[in-house]
Amino acid sequence: MQVSVRDNNVDQALRALKKKLQREGVFREMRLKEHFEKPSVRKAREKKEAVNRQRKLARKKAEREG
């Protein structure tokens, strides 16, 4: 990952880097790996996230179609 610094504006480059990291999911992954997660708990969490994603997608689709 690379962010260019323009006109010695480090603050702007730092904001851009944080935004890219957020989009890539690096912060979320770091938070999840702070502690050990049992495989059964991980499986349940991933299933719950998948259901939530599907519901959100269905909501958006229904909203678009009217």
Side-chain angles (χ1 to χ4, degrees):
M1 190 169 301
Q2 190 173 16
V3 177
S4 59
V5 178
R6 297 184 203 133
D7 301 326
N8 287 333
N9 194 346
V10 178
D11 292 332
Q12 185 179 7
L14 189 59
R15 275 198 307 269
L17 177 65
K18 284 182 180 179
K19 193 178 284 188
K20 281 187 178 184
L21 290 172
Q22 183 72 31
R23 248 186 256 129
E24 292 288 324
V26 174
F27 292 129
R28 183 173 185 278
E29 186 178 331
M30 283 174 26
R31 184 178 52 82
L32 287 172
K33 292 190 179 213
E34 283 178 355
H35 303 288
F36 178 75
E37 188 176 27
K38 287 173 42 178
S40 60
V41 174
R42 178 176 174 227
K43 196 178 200 180
R45 177 184 52 78
E46 288 177 349
K47 187 171 185 176
K48 183 180 173 186
E49 289 173 355
V51 167
N52 288 342
R53 271 195 311 274
Q54 290 299 318
R55 283 184 183 158
K56 183 177 181 181
L57 193 66
R59 252 193 334 265
K60 286 188 172 195
K61 186 176 181 183
E63 186 178 299
R64 273 193 308 251
E65 293 175 357

Coordinates of all heavy atoms in Angstrom, one line a residue:
M1 N 0.9 -1.2 0.0 CA 0.0 0.0 0.0 C 0.9 1.2 0.0 O 1.9 1.3 0.7 CB -0.9 0.0 1.2 CG -2.0 1.0 1.2 SD -3.2 0.8 2.5 CE -3.8 -0.8 2.1
Q2 N 0.5 2.2 -0.8 CA 1.4 3.4 -0.9 C 0.5 4.6 -0.9 O -0.6 4.7 -1.6 CB 2.1 3.3 -2.2 CG 3.2 4.3 -2.4 CD 4.0 4.0 -3.6 OE1 3.6 3.2 -4.5 NE2 5.2 4.5 -3.7
V3 N 1.0 5.7 -0.2 CA 0.3 6.9 -0.2 C 1.3 8.0 -0.5 O 2.4 8.0 0.1 CB -0.3 7.2 1.2 CG1 -1.0 8.6 1.2 CG2 -1.4 6.2 1.5
S4 N 1.0 8.9 -1.4 CA 2.0 9.9 -1.8 C 1.7 11.2 -0.9 O 0.6 11.5 -0.6 CB 1.9 10.3 -3.2 OG 0.6 10.7 -3.6
V5 N 2.8 11.8 -0.5 CA 2.8 13.1 0.3 C 3.0 14.2 -0.7 O 4.0 14.3 -1.3 CB 3.8 13.1 1.4 CG1 3.7 14.4 2.2 CG2 3.7 11.9 2.3
R6 N 1.9 15.1 -0.8 CA 2.0 16.2 -1.7 C 2.2 17.5 -0.9 O 1.6 17.7 0.2 CB 0.7 16.4 -2.5 CG 0.5 15.2 -3.4 CD -0.8 15.4 -4.2 NE -1.3 14.1 -4.6 CZ -2.6 13.8 -4.5 NH1 -3.5 14.6 -4.0 NH2 -3.0 12.6 -4.9
D7 N 3.1 18.3 -1.3 CA 3.4 19.6 -0.7 C 3.8 19.5 0.8 O 3.3 20.3 1.6 CB 2.2 20.6 -0.9 CG 1.9 20.8 -2.4 OD1 2.9 20.8 -3.2 OD2 0.7 21.0 -2.7
N8 N 4.5 18.5 1.2 CA 4.8 18.2 2.6 C 3.7 18.2 3.5 O 3.8 18.5 4.7 CB 5.9 19.2 3.0 CG 7.2 19.0 2.4 OD1 7.5 17.9 2.1 ND2 8.0 20.0 2.3
N9 N 2.5 17.8 3.0 CA 1.3 17.7 3.8 C 1.1 16.3 4.3 O 0.4 15.5 3.7 CB 0.1 18.2 3.0 CG -1.1 18.5 3.8 OD1 -1.1 18.1 5.0 ND2 -2.1 19.1 3.3
V10 N 1.8 16.1 5.5 CA 1.7 14.7 6.1 C 0.4 14.4 6.6 O -0.1 13.2 6.6 CB 2.8 14.6 7.1 CG1 2.8 13.2 7.8 CG2 4.2 14.9 6.5
D11 N -0.3 15.4 7.2 CA -1.6 15.1 7.8 C -2.6 14.6 6.7 O -3.4 13.7 7.0 CB -2.2 16.4 8.4 CG -1.4 16.9 9.6 OD1 -0.9 16.0 10.3 OD2 -1.4 18.1 9.9
Q12 N -2.6 15.2 5.5 CA -3.5 14.7 4.5 C -3.1 13.3 4.0 O -4.0 12.5 3.8 CB -3.4 15.7 3.3 CG -4.4 15.4 2.2 CD -4.3 16.4 1.0 OE1 -3.4 17.2 1.0 NE2 -5.2 16.3 0.1
A13 N -1.8 13.0 4.0 CA -1.4 11.7 3.6 C -1.8 10.7 4.6 O -2.2 9.6 4.3 CB 0.1 11.7 3.3
L14 N -1.7 11.1 5.9 CA -2.0 10.2 7.0 C -3.5 9.8 6.9 O -4.0 8.7 7.1 CB -1.7 10.8 8.3 CG -1.8 9.9 9.5 CD1 -0.9 8.7 9.4 CD2 -1.4 10.7 10.8
R15 N -4.4 10.8 6.6 CA -5.8 10.6 6.5 C -6.1 9.7 5.4 O -6.9 8.8 5.5 CB -6.5 12.0 6.3 CG -6.8 12.7 7.6 CD -7.9 13.7 7.4 NE -7.6 14.7 6.3 CZ -7.0 15.8 6.4 NH1 -6.5 16.2 7.6 NH2 -6.8 16.6 5.4
A16 N -5.4 9.9 4.2 CA -5.6 9.0 3.1 C -5.2 7.6 3.4 O -5.9 6.6 3.0 CB -4.8 9.5 1.9
L17 N -4.1 7.4 4.1 CA -3.6 6.1 4.5 C -4.6 5.4 5.4 O -5.0 4.2 5.2 CB -2.3 6.2 5.2 CG -1.7 4.8 5.8 CD1 -1.4 3.9 4.6 CD2 -0.5 5.1 6.6
K18 N -5.1 6.1 6.4 CA -6.1 5.5 7.3 C -7.4 5.1 6.6 O -8.0 4.1 6.9 CB -6.5 6.6 8.4 CG -5.4 6.7 9.5 CD -5.9 7.7 10.6 CE -4.9 7.8 11.6 NZ -5.3 8.8 12.7
K19 N -7.8 5.9 5.6 CA -9.0 5.6 4.8 C -8.8 4.3 4.0 O -9.6 3.5 3.9 CB -9.3 6.8 3.9 CG -10.7 6.7 3.3 CD -11.0 7.9 2.4 CE -11.3 9.0 3.3 NZ -11.9 10.2 2.5
K20 N -7.5 4.2 3.4 CA -7.2 3.0 2.7 C -7.2 1.8 3.5 O -7.7 0.7 3.2 CB -5.9 3.1 2.0 CG -5.9 4.0 0.7 CD -4.6 3.9 0.0 CE -4.7 4.7 -1.3 NZ -3.4 4.6 -2.1
L21 N -6.6 1.9 4.7 CA -6.5 0.8 5.7 C -7.9 0.4 6.1 O -8.2 -0.8 6.3 CB -5.7 1.1 6.9 CG -4.2 1.3 6.6 CD1 -3.5 1.8 7.9 CD2 -3.6 -0.1 6.2
Q22 N -8.8 1.3 6.3 CA -10.2 1.1 6.7 C -10.9 0.3 5.6 O -11.6 -0.7 5.9 CB -10.9 2.4 7.0 CG -12.3 2.2 7.5 CD -12.4 1.7 8.9 OE1 -11.5 2.0 9.7 NE2 -13.4 1.0 9.2
R23 N -10.7 0.7 4.4 CA -11.4 0.1 3.3 C -10.9 -1.4 3.1 O -11.7 -2.2 2.7 CB -11.1 0.9 2.0 CG -12.4 1.5 1.5 CD -12.1 2.2 0.1 NE -12.0 3.6 0.3 CZ -11.1 4.4 -0.2 NH1 -10.1 3.9 -0.9 NH2 -11.1 5.7 0.1
E24 N -9.6 -1.6 3.3 CA -9.1 -2.9 3.2 C -9.5 -3.8 4.3 O -9.3 -5.1 4.2 CB -7.5 -2.8 3.1 CG -7.0 -2.2 1.9 CD -7.1 -3.0 0.7 OE1 -7.0 -4.3 0.8 OE2 -7.4 -2.5 -0.4
G25 N -9.9 -3.3 5.5 CA -10.3 -4.1 6.6 C -9.2 -4.5 7.5 O -9.3 -5.4 8.3
V26 N -8.1 -3.7 7.5 CA -6.9 -4.0 8.3 C -7.2 -3.8 9.8 O -6.9 -4.6 10.6 CB -5.7 -3.2 7.8 CG1 -4.5 -3.4 8.8 CG2 -5.3 -3.5 6.4
F27 N -7.9 -2.7 10.1 CA -8.2 -2.3 11.5 C -9.1 -3.4 12.1 O -8.9 -3.8 13.2 CB -8.9 -1.0 11.6 CG -8.0 0.2 11.3 CD1 -8.3 1.1 10.4 CD2 -6.7 0.3 11.9 CE1 -7.5 2.2 10.1 CE2 -5.9 1.3 11.6 CZ -6.3 2.3 10.7
R28 N -10.1 -3.8 11.3 CA -11.0 -4.9 11.8 C -10.3 -6.2 12.1 O -10.5 -6.8 13.1 CB -12.1 -5.0 10.8 CG -13.2 -6.0 11.2 CD -14.3 -6.0 10.2 NE -15.4 -6.8 10.6 CZ -15.4 -8.1 10.5 NH1 -14.5 -8.8 9.9 NH2 -16.5 -8.8 10.9
E29 N -9.4 -6.5 11.1 CA -8.7 -7.8 11.3 C -7.7 -7.7 12.5 O -7.6 -8.7 13.2 CB -7.8 -8.0 10.0 CG -7.1 -9.3 10.0 CD -6.4 -9.5 8.7 OE1 -6.8 -9.0 7.6 OE2 -5.3 -10.2 8.7
M30 N -7.1 -6.6 12.7 CA -6.2 -6.4 13.9 C -7.1 -6.6 15.2 O -6.6 -7.2 16.1 CB -5.6 -5.0 13.9 CG -4.4 -4.9 12.9 SD -3.7 -3.3 12.7 CE -4.0 -2.5 14.2
R31 N -8.2 -6.0 15.2 CA -9.1 -6.1 16.4 C -9.5 -7.5 16.7 O -9.5 -8.0 17.8 CB -10.3 -5.2 16.2 CG -11.2 -5.1 17.5 CD -12.4 -4.2 17.3 NE -13.2 -4.5 16.1 CZ -14.1 -5.5 16.0 NH1 -14.4 -6.2 17.0 NH2 -14.8 -5.6 14.9
L32 N -9.8 -8.3 15.6 CA -10.2 -9.6 15.8 C -9.1 -10.5 16.2 O -9.3 -11.5 16.9 CB -10.8 -10.2 14.5 CG -12.2 -9.7 14.1 CD1 -12.6 -10.1 12.7 CD2 -13.2 -10.1 15.1
K33 N -7.9 -10.2 15.9 CA -6.7 -11.0 16.2 C -6.1 -10.7 17.5 O -5.0 -11.2 17.9 CB -5.7 -11.0 15.1 CG -6.2 -11.7 13.8 CD -5.2 -11.9 12.8 CE -5.8 -12.6 11.6 NZ -4.8 -13.4 11.0
E34 N -6.7 -9.7 18.3 CA -6.1 -9.3 19.6 C -6.1 -10.5 20.5 O -5.3 -10.7 21.4 CB -6.8 -8.1 20.1 CG -6.5 -6.8 19.5 CD -7.2 -5.6 20.0 OE1 -8.2 -5.9 20.9 OE2 -6.9 -4.5 19.7
H35 N -7.2 -11.3 20.5 CA -7.4 -12.4 21.4 C -7.8 -13.6 20.6 O -8.3 -13.5 19.5 CB -8.5 -12.1 22.4 CG -8.3 -10.9 23.2 ND1 -7.4 -10.7 24.2 CD2 -8.9 -9.6 23.1 CE1 -7.4 -9.5 24.7 NE2 -8.3 -8.8 24.0
F36 N -7.5 -14.8 21.2 CA -7.8 -16.0 20.5 C -9.3 -16.2 20.5 O -10.0 -15.9 21.5 CB -7.2 -17.2 21.3 CG -7.5 -18.5 20.7 CD1 -6.9 -18.9 19.5 CD2 -8.5 -19.4 21.3 CE1 -7.3 -20.2 18.9 CE2 -8.8 -20.6 20.7 CZ -8.2 -21.0 19.5
E37 N -9.8 -16.7 19.4 CA -11.2 -16.9 19.2 C -11.4 -18.4 18.9 O -10.8 -19.0 18.0 CB -11.7 -16.1 18.0 CG -13.2 -16.1 17.8 CD -13.6 -15.2 16.7 OE1 -12.8 -14.9 15.8 OE2 -14.8 -14.7 16.8
K38 N -12.2 -19.1 19.7 CA -12.4 -20.5 19.5 C -13.1 -20.7 18.1 O -13.8 -19.9 17.7 CB -13.4 -21.0 20.6 CG -12.8 -21.2 21.9 CD -13.7 -21.5 23.1 CE -14.7 -22.6 22.7 NZ -15.6 -22.9 23.8
P39 N -12.7 -21.8 17.5 CA -13.3 -22.1 16.2 C -14.8 -22.1 16.1 O -15.4 -21.6 15.1 CB -12.7 -23.5 15.8 CG -11.5 -23.6 16.6 CD -11.7 -22.8 17.9
S40 N -15.5 -22.6 17.2 CA -16.9 -22.6 17.1 C -17.5 -21.2 17.2 O -18.5 -20.9 16.6 CB -17.5 -23.4 18.3 OG -17.0 -22.9 19.5
V41 N -16.8 -20.3 18.0 CA -17.2 -18.9 18.1 C -17.0 -18.2 16.8 O -17.8 -17.4 16.4 CB -16.5 -18.3 19.3 CG1 -16.8 -16.8 19.3 CG2 -16.8 -18.9 20.6
R42 N -15.9 -18.5 16.2 CA -15.5 -17.9 14.9 C -16.6 -18.2 13.8 O -17.0 -17.4 13.1 CB -14.1 -18.3 14.5 CG -13.7 -17.8 13.2 CD -12.3 -18.2 12.8 NE -12.0 -17.7 11.5 CZ -11.4 -18.5 10.6 NH1 -11.0 -19.7 10.9 NH2 -11.1 -18.0 9.4
K43 N -16.9 -19.5 13.8 CA -17.9 -20.0 12.8 C -19.2 -19.3 13.0 O -19.9 -18.9 12.1 CB -18.0 -21.5 13.0 CG -18.7 -22.2 11.9 CD -18.7 -23.7 12.2 CE -18.9 -24.6 11.0 NZ -18.8 -26.0 11.3
A44 N -19.7 -19.2 14.3 CA -21.0 -18.6 14.6 C -20.9 -17.1 14.2 O -21.9 -16.6 13.6 CB -21.3 -18.7 16.1
R45 N -19.8 -16.4 14.5 CA -19.7 -15.0 14.2 C -19.7 -14.8 12.7 O -20.4 -13.9 12.2 CB -18.4 -14.4 14.7 CG -18.1 -13.0 14.4 CD -16.8 -12.5 14.9 NE -15.7 -13.3 14.5 CZ -15.1 -13.3 13.3 NH1 -15.5 -12.5 12.3 NH2 -14.0 -14.1 13.1
E46 N -19.0 -15.6 11.9 CA -19.0 -15.5 10.5 C -20.3 -15.8 9.9 O -20.7 -15.1 8.9 CB -17.9 -16.4 9.9 CG -16.5 -15.9 10.2 CD -15.4 -16.9 9.6 OE1 -15.8 -18.0 9.2 OE2 -14.3 -16.5 9.7
K47 N -21.1 -16.7 10.4 CA -22.4 -17.0 9.9 C -23.3 -15.9 10.2 O -24.1 -15.5 9.3 CB -22.9 -18.3 10.6 CG -24.2 -18.8 10.0 CD -24.6 -20.1 10.5 CE -25.9 -20.6 9.8 NZ -26.3 -22.0 10.2
K48 N -23.2 -15.3 11.4 CA -24.1 -14.1 11.7 C -23.8 -12.9 10.8 O -24.7 -12.3 10.3 CB -23.8 -13.7 13.2 CG -24.6 -12.6 13.7 CD -24.3 -12.3 15.1 CE -25.0 -11.1 15.6 NZ -24.6 -10.7 16.9
E49 N -22.5 -12.7 10.5 CA -22.1 -11.6 9.6 C -22.6 -11.8 8.2 O -23.1 -10.9 7.5 CB -20.6 -11.5 9.6 CG -20.0 -10.9 10.9 CD -18.5 -10.9 10.9 OE1 -17.8 -11.5 9.9 OE2 -17.9 -10.4 11.9
A50 N -22.6 -13.1 7.7 CA -23.1 -13.4 6.4 C -24.6 -13.1 6.3 O -25.1 -12.6 5.3 CB -22.8 -14.9 6.1
V51 N -25.3 -13.5 7.4 CA -26.8 -13.3 7.4 C -27.0 -11.8 7.4 O -27.9 -11.3 6.6 CB -27.4 -14.0 8.7 CG1 -28.8 -13.5 8.9 CG2 -27.4 -15.5 8.5
N52 N -26.3 -11.0 8.2 CA -26.5 -9.6 8.2 C -26.2 -9.0 6.8 O -26.9 -8.0 6.4 CB -25.6 -9.0 9.3 CG -26.1 -9.2 10.7 OD1 -27.3 -9.6 10.9 ND2 -25.2 -9.1 11.7
R53 N -25.1 -9.4 6.2 CA -24.8 -8.9 4.8 C -25.9 -9.2 3.9 O -26.3 -8.3 3.1 CB -23.5 -9.6 4.3 CG -22.3 -8.8 4.7 CD -21.1 -9.3 3.8 NE -20.9 -10.7 3.8 CZ -20.3 -11.5 4.7 NH1 -19.7 -10.9 5.7 NH2 -20.2 -12.8 4.5
Q54 N -26.5 -10.4 3.9 CA -27.6 -10.8 3.0 C -28.8 -9.9 3.3 O -29.5 -9.4 2.3 CB -27.9 -12.2 3.1 CG -26.9 -13.2 2.6 CD -26.6 -13.0 1.1 OE1 -27.5 -12.8 0.3 NE2 -25.4 -12.9 0.7
R55 N -29.1 -9.7 4.6 CA -30.3 -8.9 4.9 C -30.1 -7.4 4.4 O -31.0 -6.8 3.9 CB -30.5 -8.9 6.4 CG -31.1 -10.1 6.9 CD -31.4 -10.0 8.4 NE -32.0 -11.2 8.9 CZ -31.9 -11.6 10.2 NH1 -31.3 -10.8 11.1 NH2 -32.4 -12.7 10.6
K56 N -28.9 -6.9 4.6 CA -28.6 -5.5 4.1 C -28.8 -5.4 2.6 O -29.3 -4.5 2.1 CB -27.2 -5.1 4.6 CG -26.8 -3.7 4.2 CD -25.5 -3.3 4.8 CE -25.1 -1.9 4.4 NZ -23.8 -1.6 4.9
L57 N -28.2 -6.4 1.9 CA -28.3 -6.5 0.5 C -29.8 -6.5 0.0 O -30.2 -5.8 -0.9 CB -27.5 -7.7 -0.1 CG -27.3 -7.7 -1.6 CD1 -26.3 -6.5 -1.9 CD2 -26.6 -9.0 -1.9
A58 N -30.6 -7.4 0.7 CA -32.0 -7.5 0.3 C -32.7 -6.2 0.6 O -33.6 -5.8 -0.1 CB -32.6 -8.6 1.1
R59 N -32.4 -5.5 1.7 CA -33.0 -4.2 2.1 C -32.7 -3.2 1.0 O -33.6 -2.5 0.5 CB -32.5 -3.7 3.4 CG -33.5 -3.8 4.5 CD -33.0 -3.0 5.8 NE -31.6 -2.8 6.0 CZ -30.8 -3.5 6.7 NH1 -31.3 -4.6 7.3 NH2 -29.6 -3.2 6.9
K60 N -31.4 -3.1 0.6 CA -31.1 -2.1 -0.4 C -31.7 -2.5 -1.8 O -32.2 -1.5 -2.5 CB -29.5 -2.1 -0.6 CG -28.8 -1.4 0.5 CD -27.4 -1.3 0.2 CE -26.7 -0.4 1.2 NZ -25.4 0.0 0.8
K61 N -31.8 -3.7 -2.1 CA -32.5 -4.1 -3.4 C -33.9 -3.8 -3.3 O -34.5 -3.2 -4.3 CB -32.3 -5.6 -3.6 CG -32.8 -6.1 -4.9 CD -32.5 -7.6 -5.1 CE -32.9 -8.1 -6.4 NZ -32.7 -9.5 -6.6
A62 N -34.6 -4.0 -2.2 CA -36.0 -3.7 -2.1 C -36.3 -2.2 -2.2 O -37.2 -1.7 -2.7 CB -36.6 -4.3 -0.8
E63 N -35.3 -1.5 -1.6 CA -35.4 0.0 -1.6 C -35.3 0.6 -3.0 O -36.0 1.5 -3.4 CB -34.3 0.6 -0.7 CG -34.4 2.1 -0.5 CD -33.3 2.6 0.4 OE1 -33.3 2.1 1.6 OE2 -32.5 3.4 0.0
R64 N -34.4 0.0 -3.8 CA -34.2 0.4 -5.2 C -35.4 0.1 -6.0 O -35.8 0.9 -6.9 CB -32.9 -0.3 -5.8 CG -31.7 0.4 -5.5 CD -30.6 -0.1 -6.4 NE -30.5 -1.6 -6.3 CZ -29.5 -2.2 -5.7 NH1 -28.5 -1.6 -5.2 NH2 -29.5 -3.5 -5.7
E65 N -36.0 -1.1 -5.8 CA -37.1 -1.5 -6.7 C -38.4 -0.9 -6.2 O -39.3 -0.9 -7.0 CB -37.2 -3.1 -6.6 CG -36.0 -3.7 -7.3 CD -36.1 -5.3 -7.1 OE1 -37.0 -5.8 -6.5 OE2 -35.2 -5.9 -7.7
G66 N -38.4 -0.4 -5.0 CA -39.6 0.4 -4.6 C -40.6 -0.5 -3.9 O -41.2 -1.0 -3.3

